[in-house]
Structure formats: structure tokens, C-alpha cells
Amino acid sequence: MGEMAKRERVVRMSVEQPLWRALTAYRIGTMVYAVLIFAFARERYERPWVAVAFLAVMCVWTLATLPKVANAASCTKRFLIADLAVALTGILLTPLADEQAQSVDGPTLPTIWTAGAVLAYAIKGGWRWAGFASSLVAVANIIERAHPTRDTLHNVLLVWVASIAIGYVVEVARASERTLARALEIEAATRERERLARDIHDSVLQVLAMVQRRGTALGGEAAELGRMAGEQEVALRTLVAGGLARPSLVSEDESEGAVVRIVEEPEDDSPLDLRALLAPRAGAKVTLADPGAPVLLPAAAGRELAAAVGAALDNVRVHAGDQARAWILVEDWPDEVIVTVRDDGPGIPEGRLAQAEGEGRMGVALSIRGRLRELGGTAELISVPGQGTEVELKVPRDTRGKAGTR
């Protein structure tokens, strides 16, 4: 599987994008509303051709610029300036089309379509941009009315407060997206560190520990080699425990929200027979008892479970001695698979596991419990001094999405 190309899945997390879709619908709806307002009250306009000309321009502009309000990347500063200019022009042209507009509280030519231009500023640039746009709209409304009434001031204040509030919410949402992306980075880096630590514990650290013991037993130059291997083992354990691992995903602040790129292994996860994976572990001192039928698990889950069993057997060999015997029992249940590893060694003294973890010896914590945790399962260790040790590994049948992702 290492030869197969990995793929990259891009996950977009954005609470901002629904706002752009809502703004698109708002602009279309308010465009239709403005046309209907004029159609039902056209007899009161002294110069209806001014209103018709402006509404025609507004409709063409609204429909032609729909892609501009599809997302933050498309909504450029140039578009925002032009869009606001159309809205302000419509407000200032209202007295020219309707001479009574300054003395009677009636709608402007663009009516509530103007708020769409202000909201675009709010979603694109936050509350400061919203405050700037809504202030220009307020000035235009006051000029258009000449003698602003209470209703005019009320409407101006409503647009100003609403746009600034929406802009502030957008800024908070963007900050939350960046925080979430960073949290996912840390989680992925931690999981990758644990995976590397398990692999190192299952291979390099075991070899270094064996070289140290054999070298000390042989003496002479071999003892010096064993001493050096022991020093390297301690240094490597410290490095693993310190978590010096590069993050496995990257967050970017793009126009449509925080982007998390997750590198995954190929999806080829055909079921494997757990019995075939555990069979090489059996031997003269290791007895394997399994069901007569295949015990099928997804490939990644099966390999991780077999590796956890291997780590448990390594602990038996290292801590219980070469003469200790071990038994592996495989139980196939409808909703889970249970593998029990038991030995007849001296057992583990109380508090020894916590002490080993503090010294950087993460065999049980990472190679066994860490693997089962990523599979959505559990690992229980029962040990009584003088009566051996029993490790029970439980893996749920449905491990999709919990194993194989890095």
C-alpha cells in the first residue's frame, strides 16, 4: 500500500458562504419588489421615464452581476464601489422622477434594494466597511428628503445598525473558522505523532533494547555497543515523547472560508481475514485459538489490530521472559471482534505502567491503547502480580473513517 499514490481531500468549512447565497436571493427579490412598487404607483410620478430608465439599468446590473455576489473572491472592491454608486444614484434621482418625494414619505426608486449593496460591503469587509457604506446611504437619503422625517431617520438607523451587526458576525465567524482549522492541525499532528511513535516502538526501540541487553550479557566490546544502543534508545524515546512531528494538514485563509487539506491513504480497504494476520504470531510458545470461519475486518483495521496483538506479545517476551507462554483468543461477535492475549508471566506490579509512561516507554499507551482508540475500540489490561497479564482488545465492526486516515 506504500507504493500506491495518496490522494488529497479538500474540506471547506465556511459559515460565510450561505450569506453570499442569501445576498444573491435578496438582490433578486428586492429588484422585483422595486419594479412592482413603481408599477402600482406610476401615476404619481411626474417624470416616469426617469424611473423607468433607472429601474431598467438596475435590473440589468443586478442580473449581470449575480456571479459577483456568489463568493468573496468574486466580490471585488471595484464591483462594490460601482454597486453602491448605482444605489446612491437611484436615491438621488428619486426627487427628479417624483417631485413630491421630498414632502411625502414615499419609497425611493431602488427602495430596499439599496440594503443589498450595503450588505455586500458587510459580508466582504466586515463591520468597518459596512459602517462606511451605510453612512453614505444615510447621507444620500437625507439629501433626497431635504427635510428628513422621523421615518427617514428610523430607516437610515436601521440599515446602519443591521449592516454593522452583520459585518461583525462575519468577522467573528472567520476567526472561528481559523481557530477550528488550527485545532484540526494540532489534532492531526498529534495523531501522526502517535502513529510514528507506535511504529518506532514496534521496530527501532525494540531492536535497540535487545542490543543493549545482549551486549551487556556478552561483555567486552559488545557491552560498549550495548551501552551506546541504550543511550540511543533513551534519546529516541525522548524525541518521540516530545512530539517533534510535522503537522499532516495545512489550513489556509481563502476567500470561501478556512480550508483544510487532509492527506489520506488510498481507499482500498478490502476486508481481510484476521486469522491470516495473526497466524504468523503463533509458535511453540504462543497458542492461537480462533473461530472456524473467517473473521473479516477492513484492511486498515485488521492490520492495526494485528499490530496491537504483536505489541502485546512483544511485551510478554520482554517483560515475562523467553520461557513465558502466551495464548491468543479470537472471538467474532456480530457487532465487534474481541482478541484476548494472556500470558503466564509474573504480571505487572501496580503503578509500573504509569512509571513507564513517565519514562517515555509508551508501548502500552501507544502501540496498544493508541491503536485501539483510533479504531474506535478499547484495550483493557488486567494484571495480578504472580498470575500473569491479560490484554483484551475490542474493535467494532464498523471502523470506517476511524482507521486508515492520516
Side-chain angles (χ1 to χ4, degrees):
M1 187 171 65
E3 299 296 329
M4 299 178 65
K6 295 184 178 181
R7 67 184 184 89
E8 186 180 77
R9 174 167 59 90
V10 177
V11 179
R12 293 191 182 274
M13 303 170 297
S14 177
V15 297
E16 179 183 336
Q17 191 58 32
L19 295 178
W20 289 109
R21 290 194 289 267
L23 178 60
T24 301
Y26 179 86
R27 288 170 66 87
I28 296 175
T30 53
M31 175 195 71
V32 175
Y33 176 77
V35 172
L36 292 176
I37 288 292
F38 168 75
F40 288 123
R42 61 183 178 275
E43 65 278 355
R44 77 171 190 173
Y45 288 86
E46 288 79 7
R47 300 180 184 88
W49 60 269
V50 175
V52 171
F54 170 77
L55 291 174
V57 171
M58 187 188 75
C59 291
V60 172
W61 172 260
T62 301
L63 297 176
T65 58
L66 287 180
K68 292 292 186 179
V69 291
N71 51 61
S74 302
C75 186
T76 61
K77 292 182 180 179
R78 183 177 300 178
F79 162 74
L80 289 174
I81 294 173
D83 194 52
L84 186 60
V86 172
L88 296 178
T89 301
I91 295 173
L92 297 177
L93 283 177
T94 301
L96 183 62
D98 181 9
E99 294 180 355
Q100 299 179 359
Q102 292 185 335
S103 58
V104 179
D105 267 335
T108 60
L109 289 178
T111 64
I112 58 175
W113 183 90
T114 304
V118 177
L119 292 177
Y121 272 81
I123 300 174
K124 174 67 176 181
W127 69 270
R128 293 177 180 84
W129 287 28
F132 168 77
S134 58
S135 297
L136 292 181
V137 171
V139 171
N141 274 281
I142 293 174
I143 294 175
E144 182 265 332
R145 291 299 179 193
H147 304 287
T149 63
R150 180 182 298 177
D151 289 340
T152 301
L153 296 177
H154 175 269
N155 293 334
V156 166
L157 182 62
L158 181 62
V159 173
W160 194 75
V161 172
S163 60
I164 290 180
I166 292 176
Y168 179 75
V169 169
V170 170
E171 290 187 359
V172 172
R174 286 172 179 161
S176 299
E177 288 169 355
R178 290 191 292 268
T179 302
L180 177 59
R182 180 55 183 162
L184 290 175
E185 286 182 356
I186 296 173
E187 179 186 4
T190 301
R191 292 169 66 87
E192 182 68 6
R193 181 193 67 194
E194 291 184 355
R195 184 185 67 83
L196 293 175
R198 290 196 299 267
D199 294 342
I200 291 174
H201 179 272
D202 294 345
S203 55
V204 181
L205 292 179
Q206 297 286 1
V207 172
L208 291 176
M210 182 181 66
V211 171
Q212 181 187 21
R213 291 195 304 272
R214 296 292 175 85
T216 302
L218 292 175
E221 294 183 358
E224 178 64 16
L225 180 62
R227 183 188 64 79
M228 295 173 62
E231 292 177 353
Q232 294 302 313
E233 180 193 4
V234 172
L236 187 55
R237 289 187 187 278
T238 303
L239 181 64
V240 171
L244 298 180
R246 297 179 61 184
S248 60
L249 58 83
V250 180
S251 69
E252 300 177 359
D253 186 13
E254 292 192 356
S255 58
E256 296 186 12
V259 176
V260 180
R261 288 188 172 87
I262 305 176
V263 178
E264 297 182 338
E265 293 182 359
E267 290 184 334
D268 183 15
D269 204 20
S270 303
L272 295 179
D273 187 356
L274 182 62
R275 301 180 306 167
L277 297 175
L278 295 180
R281 306 285 183 181
K285 298 177 182 178
V286 178
T287 302
L288 174 63
D290 55 44
V295 181
L296 299 179
L297 281 175
R303 282 189 287 266
E304 288 292 285
L305 180 55
V309 172
L313 293 176
D314 288 339
N315 286 337
V316 173
R317 183 176 63 255
V318 172
H319 301 293
D322 294 336
Q323 302 303 317
R325 292 183 55 83
W327 293 265
I328 305 174
L329 174 63
V330 180
E331 301 175 75
D332 188 10
W333 296 94
D335 57 344
E336 64 181 357
V337 174
I338 302 177
V339 179
T340 305
V341 180
R342 182 172 60 85
D343 65 70
D344 61 356
I348 302 176
E350 185 177 356
R352 176 56 185 156
L353 288 179
Q355 178 185 355
E357 187 171 342
E359 295 172 352
R361 301 179 180 274
M362 311 293 286
V364 174
L366 292 180
S367 293
I368 299 178
R369 287 176 178 161
R371 280 191 165 97
L372 271 294
R373 183 172 58 251
E374 288 196 359
L375 296 176
T378 59
E380 296 184 10
L381 188 146
I382 302 174
S383 181
V384 178
Q387 299 182 21
T389 302
E390 180 177 304
V391 180
E392 185 180 70
L393 311 175
K394 295 182 179 180
V395 176
R397 280 290 181 186
D398 184 12
T399 60
R400 200 176 319 172
K402 299 173 183 176
T405 301
R406 300 285 179 249

